[in-house]
Structure formats: C-alpha cells, structure tokens
Amino acid sequence: MSDELPDDAALANAPSRSHGRLSAKPVLRPRDLFDDARAVRGAWLARIITLFPQAFPGVLEQSLTGKAMDLGLWRLETYDLRSFGIGKHRNVDDTPAGGGAGMVLRADVVDAAINAASAGANPDRARWPVVYLSPRGTPFDQAMARRFAGCEGLTLLCGRFEGVDQRVLDHHAVEEVSLGDFVLTGGEIAAQAILDATVRLLPGVLGNADSIEEESHSNGLLEHPQFTRPPVWEGREVPPVLLSGDHAKIAKWRRAQAEALTAERRPDLWARKTAR
C-alpha cells in the first residue's frame, strides 16, 4: 500500500471537484467518498473551467437541481484554470497583443484546461458542446437550454479579465454564449444560470413534466399570470374563470393572457410568434 502523493501533472489534469451521486469501488485505503469524482452511468455531466472552482456548485446544490444531483440525474466537475498556469506563479494571462487595457487569458493555458476537461467526452460538438460565457456570444434562450439538455454533457469556460485568446476558441470550436446585454466580472454566475435552466429540463428532474410546457418561453410566449389561495386578498380577487372548473374556458383565458403579456412586455417575441 502506497502513501505517495500525486505529482503536479496528475493534479493539473484532474478535475478539482466533483458533485453527484456516487458509485463506490474498492480501494487500498480508506477515503471520503464525497471528495472523489462521483460517477453514475448515463448521467448528464457538466464540466466547468474556472479560476474560482469554490464557487460551484453554489445555488445548484439547492432545490430541484440539488436533489437531481443527489439522485444521480446529473453530475458537476470543476477544473481549476490556475492549475494549468505557466511558471512558478501559475500565470494564466498576459497583456493584449496590440496594446490596450486589462489582461487576456492565454491560449496555451486555456488549451491545456480544455484538453483535460475533454477527457472521456464525446468529441462531437453537437453531442457535447464546449461553451465560452461571453457578452459577445449568442444570446442564451430556452431553445438553447433544451438543446444542451439533449446532449451527453456540456463544458463551460468561465472567462475573466478582458477575455480569452481567440486562437484557442477557434482551435477547439468553442461556442460563445451570452446571458444578456450586460457585462459580468466573470462567467461563473452565467454558468450557474445556464446550468440551472438546462438541468431542470433533464428527464426526471421536474416532478410535473407538464409545467415545462406551460411556463414562459416554452411555446414562444410569456407565461400567463398565476393565482392561488386565498380567493380574495387585500380586496383583490382571483379571476372568477379560474374558479369555474371549466377547463376549456381556463385554457382560453390563460392563452389570451399570455398573448397580451407577450405583446406588451416582449414585442420582439410577439413579432416572431406572429410571423410564423
């Protein structure tokens, strides 16, 4: 039985954290199973490349996504970008070519991280996308969440500083995705949002699959208003049609409300919907 520690190369090529349901296997010495990579056959897998692996799983460990993780419906691995850094100080960035403010993540560092995070993943980008969270990327939407949920897994590269050397993005056919028309200090929050939207669409995560079909953006419309008990609150009543028991009338009312809300609040969505 050996007590040798792994060398730097082995550490650099291993995910720094893993979360999900465990599959136990015999080892020569005791270990904490919750610190090991957690493996469930067929589970959807998210791999995160980040300078802040301690930020994960974050809120993803709570509620439905956390329960789904515990059940083994999906897994999460983080890869510490700093461990792939250059030299004694593990440098990951350098000044922009051509001058300018800020720093840029180096192509060679990001390449090593993507290679490590690609181990065992399907090389077909249609089955396993590699995504860079970028404000210049394609806007993330429900259709993209459905596409990601239909894949075997997803690798997310969380940017920092002024961005990533374009050469490594092109080399690895990395897809750029934006959470919206604003700038964050890094991609970690955006990565969690994208994973939350995607994981809830995986089979078995939501107890009531019908809710996916009725919620905002599932059919190109915003969701209709929701009400519950008490029937009267602060002088405001639940719309009588919702208490009528007439499911056809309720469905018609909800559709009309969804259309009116979409036309008022998201004319862009309404224009696409009516143009079909």
Side-chain angles (χ1 to χ4, degrees):
M1 177 164 52
S2 171
D3 289 320
E4 289 183 358
L5 295 175
D7 58 23
D8 286 346
L11 288 174
N13 292 324
S16 58
R17 298 175 69 187
S18 178
H19 306 271
R21 191 177 174 186
L22 299 177
S23 65
K25 54 186 177 182
V27 293
L28 295 178
R29 60 182 177 181
R31 63 184 178 185
D32 182 356
L33 289 177
F34 289 94
D35 289 335
D36 285 319
R38 308 179 181 192
V40 174
R41 186 181 300 275
W44 191 87
L45 176 57
R47 290 176 167 171
I48 315 297
I49 301 170
T50 173
L51 282 168
F52 299 97
Q54 67 274 17
F56 295 88
V59 72
L60 298 170
E61 201 169 24
Q62 309 302 316
S63 191
L64 289 173
T65 51
K67 182 179 179 181
M69 185 184 293
D70 289 340
L71 291 174
L73 299 178
W74 75 292
R75 296 167 50 213
L76 171 65
E77 294 177 354
T78 56
Y79 292 75
D80 186 351
L81 186 60
R82 183 69 64 185
S83 68
F84 301 92
I86 305 298
K88 178 180 178 181
H89 299 292
R90 301 284 188 180
N91 292 328
V92 299
D93 57 352
D94 211 326
T95 56
M103 304 291 280
V104 177
L105 291 173
R106 294 174 53 128
D108 49 358
V109 172
V110 175
D111 173 65
I114 292 177
N115 286 335
S118 298
N122 193 327
D124 182 357
R125 289 290 182 264
R127 299 302 307 148
W128 195 300
V130 177
V131 169
Y132 167 47
L133 287 314
S134 164
R136 71 182 188 186
T138 303
F140 181 72
D141 58 14
Q142 191 72 5
M144 192 180 294
R146 284 194 293 267
R147 173 163 66 87
F148 290 161
C151 295
E152 297 172 20
L154 176 67
T155 298
L156 294 169
L157 170 61
C158 299
R160 284 276 159 175
F161 316 121
E162 294 302 309
V164 177
D165 190 308
Q166 184 64 41
R167 294 170 295 177
V168 72
L169 300 178
D170 295 339
H171 177 72
H172 286 282
V174 175
E175 181 178 352
E176 295 190 50
V177 174
S178 171
L179 201 61
D181 295 334
F182 51 88
V183 179
L184 298 169
T185 55
E188 287 75 17
I189 293 175
Q192 291 199 23
I194 286 174
L195 287 177
D196 185 274
T198 300
V199 168
R200 64 192 303 276
L201 299 178
L202 297 176
V205 173
L206 288 182
N208 183 1
D210 291 340
S211 63
I212 295 177
E213 303 301 323
E214 297 174 359
E215 62 193 8
S216 290
H217 305 293
S218 60
N219 58 2
L221 297 172
L222 299 182
E223 189 177 13
H224 54 78
Q226 296 283 6
F227 301 87
T228 186
R229 294 185 179 88
V232 180
W233 176 80
E234 295 290 334
R236 300 172 184 267
E237 297 183 355
V238 173
V241 65
L242 298 180
L243 306 177
S244 69
D246 189 326
H247 296 294
K249 288 184 178 180
I250 291 172
K252 183 178 180 180
W253 181 88
R254 286 175 168 170
R255 176 75 181 193
Q257 289 289 313
E259 291 178 350
L261 278 172
T262 304
E264 175 188 353
R265 300 183 183 181
R266 292 293 303 274
D268 56 323
L269 292 179
W270 183 245
R272 289 201 295 268
K273 182 73 173 178
T274 55
R276 294 174 183 172

